[in-house]
Amino acid sequence: MDLLETLTQTPSVPGREDRIRKVIEDHIRSSELFDEVHTDAMGSLIACRRARPAKGAAETSPRKVMLAAHMDQIGFLVRHIDDKGFLRVNPVGGFDTRNLFARGVRVCTRDGDLAGVMNPGGRPIHIATEDEKKKVPIIGDFFIDLGLGPEEVASKVQIGDMVVLDGPFRDVGEYVVSQCLDNRVGCWAQIRAIENLTHHSCDIYAVWTVQEEVGLRGAMPAAFGIDPDIGIACDTTLCCRTPGVPEEDRVSVPGEGVGLHVMDSSMISDMSLIEDIESVAVKHDIKCQRAILPRGGQDGAVIQRSRSGVRTVSFACPVKYIHTVTEMSHKTDLESYPSLLTAWLETL
Ligand SMILES: [Zn+2]
């Protein structure tokens, strides 16, 4: 869990993935998990581990299997600095503004990180009108206060600087709670799955992709370059077994194991792959569950449609309160994720 905590506490929004890439790259290089590691022109980290067949296995030319976990998180870029030193931001990724009130933020500048707070403009409740109290603000209404004078802000902050919400990593009951479990869980599961591998007949290309949250942008050129036979997207999914959501809209159930997306709004998984994974799960007594996400996509969609098409499946860890700073994942689901990936990869 220490690695997952480090990943969630390393800020990296779409187009600004340098920091998280360095954490992952340092980790995989020091543990010598891969034969080759490089970063592509868009910034995705691509690591290849050549086949390591079991002793006595028949010689065949290895298939190429591509794993993809997006390493960006939803956040903001500074859009405007006003003459009082307040910042306005542009979102990179989908926020629900109802979750953005009174948030601690981190503004990442060339000279280091600045702490700040984010609120929508307007009067506090004591003096707000009835109409003002009912209004749900839009992103453009929010501003960041760094607690510094305008000259100091102007000298430190630049247009385009990355801003993330601040949220700690915590152990809560049977869950872990943190910001950006979407998708540091997928990044973490990919690393752990490779660490636990013994033998495999396929060449494995593990990719930590950029710019997923703004439209699956990094996975597409990565898939084109690798030209895989099988694609595996490693991401998260909704888990809405919570008050106020009808049972039929829950998408996934916490504690029932890692999710396999039968479909979401971006792709339909290859059903023969889902069935293969399920039989591996039964054989190894690992929990997993099918899920359908009516709205929302992930990197598997662009892998599936690259070149002349790729058989692709999507792994997705159930996450409650997704796209907030209190995302929650059940420890059983976290544990089953890399275990199932490892067991399946060993059959490919
Ligand atoms: Zn995601």
Side-chain angles (χ1 to χ4, degrees), residues 70 182-183 212-213 235-236 323:
H70 72 86
D182 175 13
N183 181 37
E212 191 267 359
E213 294 286 5
D235 207 326
T236 56
H323 285 196

Side-chain angles (χ1 to χ4, degrees), residues 2-12 17-31 33 37 39 45 71 184 187-188 191 195 208:
D2 288 349
L3 175 62
L4 181 57
E5 175 169 1
T6 303
L7 294 173
T8 64
Q9 299 304 306
T10 304
S12 285
E17 292 92 349
D18 317 53
R19 292 191 192 190
I20 189 75
R21 184 174 59 240
K22 183 168 188 322
V23 170
I24 296 169
E25 185 168 357
D26 286 351
H27 185 89
I28 63 173
R29 280 191 189 276
S30 68
S31 50
L33 293 175
V37 180
T39 298
L45 180 65
M71 58 180 171
R184 302 300 152 71
C187 295
W188 168 86
I191 296 169
E195 281 173 346
W208 290 268

Side-chain angles (χ1 to χ4, degrees), residues 120-136:
R123 287 185 275 251
I125 191 161
H126 315 70
I127 53 172
T129 65
E130 287 309 310
D131 274 354
E132 284 169 341
K133 282 184 206 169
K134 281 185 216 140
K135 194 180 155 225
V136 177

